[in-house]
Amino acid sequence: MLKPGAISGFPEWLPAQRLKELEVLDTIRRVYELHGYASLETAAVERVEVLQTKGVEGKEIYALERLAAESGADKRELALHFDLTVPLARYVAQNYPQLSFPYKRYQIQKVWRGERPAQGRFREFYQADIDVISEDTLALHFDAEMAAIIAEIFQRLGIQVRIRINNRKVLLGFYRALGLEGEQVVSALREVDKLEKVGPEVVARTLGEQGLSPKQVERCLALAQVRGMDGCRDVTCGLNEAQLQEGLAELEFVAAQLAHLGQTLEVDLGIVRGLDYYTGSIYEAVLPDYPALGSVCSGGRYENLASEFIKRKLPGVGISIGVSRLLSYLFSKGGWNPTRSSPTEVLVVLPGEEHRGAANEIARQLRAANVPAEVFHEPSKLDKQIRYADRKEIPHVIFPYLWPAQVEVKALATGHQVTLGLQDWLTGREKVPA
Amino acid sequence: MLKPGAISGFPEWLPAQRLKELEVLDTIRRVYELHGYASLETAAVERVEVLQTKGVEGKEIYALERLAAESGADKRELALHFDLTVPLARYVAQNYPQLSFPYKRYQIQKVWRGERPAQGRFREFYQADIDVISEDTLALHFDAEMAAIIAEIFQRLGIQVRIRINNRKVLLGFYRALGLEGEQVVSALREVDKLEKVGPEVVARTLGEQGLSPKQVERCLALAQVRGMDGCRDVTCGLNEAQLQEGLAELEFVAAQLAHLGQTLEVDLGIVRGLDYYTGSIYEAVLPDYPALGSVCSGGRYENLASEFIKRKLPGVGISIGVSRLLSYLFSKGGWNPTRSSPTEVLVVLPGEEHRGAANEIARQLRAANVPAEVFHEPSKLDKQIRYADRKEIPHVIFPYLWPAQVEVKALATGHQVTLGLQDWLTGREKVPA
């Protein structure tokens, strides 16, 4: 007999947790769709050469080989995708003539990485990505929309979120205005990105070793500690670099559009993100109640999505939510502690074979009114049937004795019981959902 | 530059087709949930030894190897699942103490098979499975429920379906009553299963070669041609075999429970299905309008789900819908020809920068009323904005000139335009959905 066990890094949920996961995925999807984004689902599998066009370093890829084939016969041509950005780029280039731009798409799928599993690092996990891709130029409208969408998702999930925004042009322009050039800018930013982790002293020392003057170091650190638009203007006052001014104007537009988000949004010149990819707005979101979780989603604006596949300039902006990490953390910290393991809202009791017709008809009418319902599967003692409903946390049981005139409805949590017409119960229920 | 292209056997849809796929998946999920089945999602990856416990012959498995690892280093221990039954068996055995039985679960996931792709045969495809697993015994109630669920799904999808049911005990008991034994029964059934494909003459000849008497051959063929309960009773009249009688009683119970389905359900003693697995009810569904598609779903009752993993008798009954095959066939035959490529129902026009506040607020109120809405992303000529809505088949555009007192709503399909308060439009819309 084979012992069935979990495979490290491949999370699976119990029924109640899975119900919660579905609720989270549905909420994300709903908000994406309410903003006019269309679902995309790409195959889980890409050509290895496609995956290797971007960011493959450090990301272990799972290649496929048919088990029945001789080792090496499949030449490892196909592999599982490790993110949803490379598949998007390939899909847009491949279907370019059939897509209508700006192409607004969301993509909620699993991705796979052959990394060593650890706390919060999985080999198979859900990402929920949203991107808009345009031709040649992309309106700044979308940079604001991305942050608004994230704010709405977490509001609907009932979780406080802090969304930090920055603009890559501000960083690059500022560093250039200080006299830094080319590779120097990139290495300096890479150091400043470690600020929260290692503290200002370590960063200052390393920047000094990279050849920055004390004055330059001081101003770089000052920039990284700026929060809010006012601080932005103060710290950059007198610097006339064109890219810096452009970045400030973009940041200001986005912040103004999102002013209604209040505390949820923070201009934060300390966030840096992936250096070789983003070119304008950058985002990162954290949960104030769960600081140790780190960033729950991130993203930004990029110049050109698919330059490896097509000779068109396709700028975009997007954000990715790490759903599995979020769920696993909140489950483990008790932030979410779901207990209902069934979608059923009503169990129709089956006291005896003679009630089967009535019970079936009651369940049919409940389902027609969009209420998940099941008939207990065999005539048996009432307490056995109630125990079943209790175990699955089914909120109501209905007894069919008085059918068709009336039904007896019992709420299991309170023990409260009423006798009334089924349609009357359904109508009252609509007004006060269970 | 890398040419992006489709990988044979890994289907991907254009945005409008994907919207249709989602609608189909949502419908299936909704009906499963309305009957009290809870979602399960297992990892896409299983241990190879787990996959090899069942039905692996003929199904090419995709094993995983980390691309960065040396060839053979991963020893092909992990592989993608090729169906959702083996993962269910492993999951139930693994989580047995935490599950509450009867465990009613549905599972809508992709599966992978390293087979040669062909018309309607994919390497990556969606299955939508539903099963109920019990301990020791499983009520016949569920055998009827499975067929009722399939009928309701296709009714909601607006597709005529014919569900054929049979009972394995009837077949085995009948053959035994004719004097056939052991392996002879299995080989004879395997031949009879080919009846529709090769015709009665060929089957009769092969059965004769297998040693069946002309009388036995005649009765086997007669049984396979029976449709309806009356025919069942006629053809088995006088045969007293216990298993046959048990099967007939089960079939009769299920047919009686499903009498309300009328033409949608057919008792069909000619269907056989997987010989080594099912032990009671068996199902198969076809679409009368698309006979060449063959079976769109199938399933049955089994004695013991997880005997390879756990020393418990866990009988079950389930059905699997081949979603990708169904979609691909209906897309290719014009049965479904979706054109809307966006979930957006209202485009709010942005005539100039000065209307941005009004446009944003209109869109916010629409979304709060659950209406997907987008603001055109930059001030530009009206005809450009309308063209964008036309291309994505967005049904309505709203002009913000009279905000906040009123809005002008234009239905693009008819050109019909009204001027009224936004909430009035939303209320009217609820009564007559677009």
Side-chain angles (χ1 to χ4, degrees), chain A residues 2 64 77 101 133 155 230 234 238 241 265 287 304 316 378:
Chain A
L2 206 55
L64 302 188
E77 283 171 352
F101 294 91
I133 310 299
Q155 192 217 320
D230 293 344
D234 295 346
E241 219 277 333
L265 191 91
L287 308 185
N304 204 345
E378 58 197 356

Side-chain angles (χ1 to χ4, degrees), chain B residues 7 27 33 54 65 82 98 101 120 154 186 214 225-226 236 270 283 296 334 367 383 407-408 414 431:
Chain B
I7 312 177
T27 301
E33 289 179 349
K54 238 181 223 167
E65 293 202 28
F82 59 82
Q98 284 105 310
F101 294 91
F154 282 92
V186 176
Q225 276 149 16
V226 166
T236 59
Y283 317 88
V296 290
R367 290 180 199 123
D383 61 346
V407 290
E408 293 152 279
T414 61
K431 287 177 201 143

Side-chain angles (χ1 to χ4, degrees), chain B residues 157-401:
Chain B
L157 291 176
I159 303 177
Q160 247 211 307
V161 68
R162 171 80 47 95
I163 303 166
R164 298 169 175 162
I165 60 166
N166 194 0
N167 190 298
R168 176 59 52 83
K169 290 175 189 166
V170 172
L171 299 180
L172 296 178
F174 183 87
Y175 278 51
R176 210 167 293 155
L178 294 186
L180 277 69
E181 281 176 349
E183 264 311 298
Q184 223 185 354
V185 174
V186 176
S187 345
L189 274 173
R190 220 184 292 277
E191 280 315 305
V192 170
D193 196 18
K194 300 177 188 156
L195 193 56
E196 269 197 14
K197 231 185 242 166
V198 303
E201 288 78 17
V202 176
V203 172
R205 194 172 55 234
T206 319
L207 289 179
E209 286 162 13
Q210 287 181 2
L212 273 66
S213 72
K215 185 77 195 157
Q216 286 172 324
V217 170
E218 188 193 325
R219 295 199 72 175
C220 288
L221 288 179
L223 186 81
Q225 276 149 16
V226 166
R227 306 288 178 269
M229 275 318 293
D230 292 344
C232 271
R233 277 178 294 257
D234 293 346
V235 80
T236 59
C237 188
L239 299 176
N240 246 330
E241 219 277 334
Q243 196 180 24
L244 170 61
Q245 292 307 324
E246 199 181 316
L248 284 173
E250 290 183 9
L251 199 51
E252 187 140 25
F253 175 88
V254 172
Q257 293 296 308
L258 299 170
H260 64 282
L261 294 181
Q263 294 286 312
T264 301
L265 190 91
E266 182 175 64
V267 170
D268 180 341
L269 299 197
I271 71 164
V272 176
R273 306 302 314 167
L275 277 163
D276 39 3
Y277 192 52
Y278 297 125
T279 52
S281 301
I282 42 184
Y283 317 88
E284 183 177 286
V286 294
L287 307 185
D289 295 337
Y290 303 94
L293 173 57
S295 143
V296 290
C297 71
S298 64
R301 173 185 272 253
Y302 37 90
E303 263 324 278
N304 204 346
L305 174 74
S307 53
E308 295 85 353
F309 306 112
I310 191 171
K311 280 185 189 146
R312 300 264 171 187
K313 195 186 160 208
L314 300 172
V317 60
I319 285 189
S320 174
I321 308 178
V323 180
S324 299
R325 254 184 85 242
L326 175 68
L327 280 161
S328 129
Y329 194 85
L330 288 186
F331 287 155
S332 74
K333 299 298 173 193
W336 279 328
N337 200 4
T339 51
R340 275 191 69 180
S341 66
S342 159
T344 302
E345 293 186 29
V346 177
L347 175 73
V348 185
V349 163
L350 185 64
E353 200 55 47
E354 70 278 17
H355 299 98
R356 200 181 278 275
N360 282 345
E361 179 57 19
I362 293 168
R364 197 195 61 73
Q365 292 192 19
L366 288 165
R367 290 180 199 123
N370 234 355
V371 177
E374 50 185 297
V375 174
F376 195 75
H377 46 277
E378 58 196 357
S380 51
K381 289 200 179 127
L382 291 191
D383 61 346
K384 181 182 170 186
Q385 302 192 35
I386 306 260
R387 240 186 359 257
Y388 169 84
D390 262 336
R391 258 196 339 259
K392 295 206 175 181
E393 301 216 11
I394 296 171
H396 295 97
V397 294
I398 285 186
F399 302 92
Y401 301 108

Side-chain angles (χ1 to χ4, degrees), chain A residues 54-68:
Chain A
K54 240 181 222 166
V56 159
E57 340 79 41
K59 278 166 196 142
E60 299 246 31
I61 296 178
Y62 277 124
L64 302 188
E65 293 202 28
R66 283 169 301 140
L67 192 64

